[in-house]
Amino acid sequence: MARRGAITSPEATRQRPRIGLALGSGSARGLAHIGVLRGLAAIGVKPDVVAGTSIGALVGAAWAAARLDQIETWARGVTKLEVLRLANPAAGRGGFLGGPRILDALAKTIGDVAIEDLEHPYGCIATDFDTGREIWFTKGSLQDAVRASISMPGLFAPVQLGGRWLVDGALVNPVPISLCRALGAEIVLAVNLSGDLEGRNRLLRAPAVETPSVDEVLARLPDKLRTRLEAPARALFASRERDRDERKPPGFFDSIAGALNVMQDRITRSRMGGDPPDLLLEPGLAGIRLLDFDRAAVAIEAGMLAVEAQKSEILELTGLRERPPRRSRSELRRRRGSPTALP
């Protein structure tokens, strides 16, 4: 306690602001949230409040329940075969993929505890299928809340809770900044998983860039090299021409994913325009598709890199500062013994 009459600097009395983390939707890309949380912990930033939508609700719940290690272990162990095994075909029951097997997987990773019993304030978002209203879960069964939040239309069957049919919260609030603030966050770090997806479908399906013909390329080579490379070069150019002319339309899952990406990107931009986060993280995840849960290592690394890229801004915003590197005793002795440079 400061002595009466003592001068106390504003810096000494300023308290760290309550940090909120808003984890966005994005299916398998959401495994990047694990990397974001790991990256924040590595630089000494611990959120006080976490809110999530869809896959963000799942990862956020695991963190709030102190089970992030378990979900990371589970995610890193998922193979393509495991993804197919968890898929429980349920066509005609509200979604192509069912829920029980995935729900069992969730129960093993996050447990079924009450939201209000978590160490930190947590909330997630679902959508009322009948009214389109945004539903906030801030108490009750954690498992039920997460299951409702991740029920992507067309893939997973809706969840019935409290007399309402609920589907994925990404339909109304893909990056839940507003919920984070409502839970008491003074500053909000938001993670948008679709930030680098604008134009992705166009990029994959765009006409090829104008390139020199095979004859033009061969004409630039020395005679001996041209003779040796002519056959493979012509085969390569012919293959590219076939690919250009025979581009296939998107498949079932890619069609759903592409439509949801466009929708979520537009909703996210609109909502952030009115309620922007204090800092936005956008991991590079364009190469990860809807059900690429077997690529957890890539997604987690992308999340960690996103934090590292904005490390200085995060530390400045959260009131933390990078500590100078600790000097060795020998270096300190050298510095004490060296003459002081005069101006």
Side-chain angles (χ1 to χ4, degrees), residues 18 48-51 121-124 136-138 178-185:
R18 284 174 61 81
D48 301 290
V49 172
V50 173
Y122 165 86
C124 66
W136 290 5
F137 287 94
T138 58
S178 55
L179 176 55
C180 225
R181 296 196 194 282
L183 290 171

Side-chain angles (χ1 to χ4, degrees), residues 21 23 32-42 45 47 50 59-60 63 68:
L21 184 63
L23 302 177
H33 291 320
I34 299 174
V36 168
L37 286 162
R38 296 297 192 200
L40 291 175
V45 176
V50 173
V59 177
W63 180 85
L68 192 63

Side-chain angles (χ1 to χ4, degrees), residues 99-112:
R101 292 178 184 172
I102 292 180
L103 189 57
D104 289 344
L106 297 183
K108 292 177 181 178
T109 55
I110 65 174
D112 192 11

Side-chain angles (χ1 to χ4, degrees), residues 46-319:
K46 184 177 181 179
D48 301 290
V49 172
V50 173
T53 296
S54 197
I55 187 68
L58 170 59
V59 177
W63 180 85
R67 297 184 66 83
L68 192 63
D69 289 345
Q70 287 84 342
I71 197 172
E72 181 174 357
T73 299
W74 175 80
R76 289 184 180 277
V78 170
T79 63
K80 287 187 180 296
L81 181 61
E82 184 73 6
V83 173
L84 293 174
R85 187 185 69 80
L86 290 173
N88 183 26
R93 288 184 288 166
F96 184 79
L97 303 180
R101 292 178 184 172
I102 292 180
L103 189 57
D104 289 344
L106 297 183
K108 292 177 181 178
T109 55
I110 65 174
D112 192 11
V113 299
I115 295 175
E116 54 267 37
D117 291 337
L118 296 172
E119 181 180 352
H120 300 285
Y122 165 86
C124 66
I125 291 176
T127 304
D128 188 316
F129 180 77
D130 294 319
T131 67
R133 289 182 56 195
E134 185 174 328
I135 306 299
W136 290 5
F137 287 94
T138 58
K139 60 181 180 179
S141 167
L142 181 64
Q143 183 175 298
D144 286 348
V146 170
R147 178 66 182 89
S149 187
I150 67 172
S151 295
M152 184 180 296
L155 291 184
F156 299 104
V159 173
Q160 189 175 36
L161 288 175
R164 293 181 291 199
W165 287 105
L166 303 176
V167 293
D168 200 313
L171 296 178
V172 290
N173 197 346
V175 184
I177 299 166
S178 55
L179 176 55
C180 225
R181 296 196 194 282
L183 290 171
E186 295 173 301
I187 62 170
V188 176
L189 312 181
V191 185
N192 177 25
L193 302 175
S194 60
D196 65 348
L197 291 177
E198 184 180 11
R200 176 176 180 267
N201 293 340
R202 182 181 68 250
L203 176 64
L204 293 176
R205 303 181 56 73
V209 177
E210 191 68 30
T211 57
S213 68
V214 63
D215 291 320
E216 291 173 330
V217 172
L218 290 172
R220 301 171 186 171
L221 301 177
D223 292 342
K224 291 184 179 180
L225 192 57
R226 184 190 312 125
T227 301
R228 190 173 62 183
L229 295 180
E230 182 172 6
R234 291 190 181 281
L236 175 61
F237 271 70
S239 174
R240 286 180 176 176
E241 288 297 324
R242 285 195 300 271
D243 290 342
R244 187 182 307 172
D245 296 336
E246 299 175 3
R247 282 175 292 167
K248 297 180 181 180
F252 175 77
F253 290 113
D254 286 338
S255 295
I256 293 178
L260 289 173
N261 287 339
V262 171
M263 178 195 69
Q264 291 180 26
D265 181 62
R266 293 299 177 257
I267 295 173
T268 299
R269 288 171 180 271
S270 176
R271 296 201 61 144
M272 283 189 184
D275 185 16
D278 296 280
L279 187 140
L280 181 64
L281 296 168
E282 296 186 316
L285 300 162
I288 298 181
R289 299 188 299 175
L290 182 70
L291 296 178
D292 284 348
F293 287 98
D294 56 305
R295 301 189 64 193
V298 176
I300 293 171
E301 179 68 17
M304 296 181 69
L305 290 174
V307 172
E308 183 62 29
Q310 293 183 261
K311 176 181 176 181
S312 297
E313 293 90 339
I314 295 171
L315 292 173
E316 180 73 24
L317 180 65
T318 56

